[in-house]
Amino acid sequence: MAQIRSLDLGLGWLLSCHASLQHRGIAERHRVASGGTPIACSSGVQWAMDTDAPEPDSQARFELRGELGRGGMAIVHLARDRTTGQDVALKLLHEHLSSQPSAVRRLDRELQASQRVDHPSVLRVQERVRVAGRLGLVLPLCTGGTLAESVETGGPWSAERLSALLQTLGGALQAAHRVGVLHRDLTPANVLLSGDGHVLLGDFGLARLHDGQTASTTALGTPGYAAPEAWGGSVRDPRSDAFSLGAVLYFAGTGRPPFGQDAPSEVLQRQLEGRPVRPLDEARPDLPPALVRTIHRLLAPSLEDRPGVQEALVGAE
């Protein structure tokens, strides 16, 4: 299986394996979690919190028990919340970023977007805190790792699990779209598993409100998983998230990103041509034809040719 390269941004969901602390070296695996490196630029923040307001320091509230992952923006700790006695994931910005407006805005987007979406398969941020001078987020602790880790260690998912993944993630995206939220960074690293295997969608750090005219002049997303229109400044709508859903399903079914892991320009060229590195029906001839057709349609390079999430859910049955 191809090595999955590390995420340097959007590490919010490299956090989730409580059991990892019981096995030496597992924290390193949290650094190898998605099929590409996210590229994120300022794109017009849709939510804002009063970051100038004084915020009490919660250092005494949390007992840091170990590191679950780290990246360019933050470190995620396993922490015990002394007020509740519960273990949580505590995502803290690097000290030098805690006063940078762009990093704080992304943190706030993640908080507010996840709290706006009400769905059992959306992992909701609990609150924003300041710990030892560093801003961060309190997150529920998931113990099953990420989809990327599951595929890396256990291999591609079965047809039954793949169909269930489509229904679960599709339902979570529909809930987000109903309240006007585009996720914009659905990747295998941002899909978490609870201890009993329940699938959860996380990391809304690049999310944005959708007004029917959501366009950006800057590239934003993860190459190979973000839709082609993300790179050209075109209008993005819920079908952009549908593309990412198709890419995640392809990865879960094959163990590889659909458009390879080469330079971003080469990956984008394959996306624009609608040319996965290997047709899914060749890579997985055991999958139901309706599911294969649905995933291929979700990966259509043109918005006009790409089904929405609801159509994909119906078409795969």
Side-chain angles (χ1 to χ4, degrees):
M1 182 180 300
Q3 178 71 20
I4 303 172
R5 290 176 292 179
S6 69
L7 276 171
D8 206 26
L9 279 165
L11 100 112
W13 312 108
L14 307 183
L15 53 85
S16 304
C17 195
H18 184 191
S20 67
L21 295 180
Q22 301 170 3
H23 297 84
R24 186 175 182 84
I26 191 71
E28 181 65 27
R29 292 216 314 269
H30 286 274
R31 301 189 183 100
V32 286
S34 176
T37 301
I39 298 174
C41 305
S42 177
S43 58
V45 177
Q46 297 297 322
W47 299 280
M49 296 179 71
D50 185 3
T51 56
D52 295 325
E55 212 163 4
D57 197 293
S58 301
Q59 183 173 7
R61 174 180 164 187
F62 296 101
E63 175 191 352
L64 302 187
R65 295 191 158 194
E67 184 179 311
L68 296 174
R70 65 169 57 220
M73 286 192 65
I75 300 175
V76 183
H77 302 270
L78 171 66
R80 171 64 57 89
D81 186 341
R82 292 189 175 100
T83 62
T84 64
Q86 300 294 314
D87 287 338
V88 298
L90 183 62
K91 175 182 178 180
L92 297 177
L93 290 177
H94 292 301
E95 188 172 358
H96 69 283
L97 294 177
S98 287
S99 60
Q100 289 193 7
S102 60
V104 175
R105 286 195 298 265
R106 174 164 177 164
L107 206 69
D108 291 342
R109 279 201 302 271
E110 187 173 342
L111 168 65
Q112 296 190 27
S114 75
Q115 291 189 340
R116 187 183 182 104
V117 182
D118 184 15
H119 190 274
S121 291
V122 169
L123 189 67
R124 303 182 75 185
V125 177
Q126 295 173 350
E127 59 181 305
R128 193 181 84 168
V129 294
R130 185 180 294 273
V131 177
R134 295 161 59 195
L135 283 176
L137 300 175
V138 180
L139 305 147
L141 183 68
C142 293
T143 59
T146 67
L147 173 62
E149 292 173 329
S150 172
V151 172
E152 182 186 10
T153 59
W157 282 20
S158 67
E160 181 179 3
R161 292 187 78 190
L162 207 58
S163 296
L165 181 65
L166 168 59
Q167 296 298 320
T168 301
L169 289 180
L173 287 175
Q174 283 185 302
H177 297 160
R178 279 195 294 269
V179 294
V181 173
L182 299 183
H183 188 282
R184 303 202 300 178
D185 196 26
L186 174 55
T187 70
N190 294 336
V191 177
L192 290 94
L193 306 175
S194 67
D196 60 2
H198 181 64
V199 172
L200 297 162
L201 174 61
D203 201 338
F204 283 78
L206 297 185
R208 185 168 181 169
L209 284 174
H210 169 60
D211 57 7
Q213 300 178 357
T214 301
S216 174
T217 58
T218 55
L220 186 149
T222 301
Y225 292 96
E229 59 268 18
W231 312 109
S234 303
V235 171
R236 299 173 70 172
D237 69 18
R239 289 171 294 176
S240 300
D241 280 346
F243 180 95
S244 302
L245 174 61
V248 166
L249 291 167
Y250 184 103
F251 170 85
T254 66
R256 299 175 182 273
F259 300 101
Q261 295 175 285
D262 300 314
S265 60
E266 296 179 25
V267 172
L268 177 58
Q269 186 61 40
R270 291 195 190 100
Q271 288 182 254
L272 292 173
E273 295 171 357
R275 182 170 52 88
V277 290
R278 188 179 182 188
L280 185 57
D281 55 351
E282 291 182 9
R284 287 293 303 273
D286 61 305
L287 294 180
L291 178 60
V292 171
R293 286 194 300 270
T294 294
I295 294 174
H296 275 303
R297 291 188 65 210
L298 287 170
L299 295 174
S302 170
L303 271 173
E304 289 69 27
D305 296 330
R306 194 182 310 148
V309 174
Q310 177 60 36
E311 185 180 348
L313 295 178
V314 173
E317 293 178 349

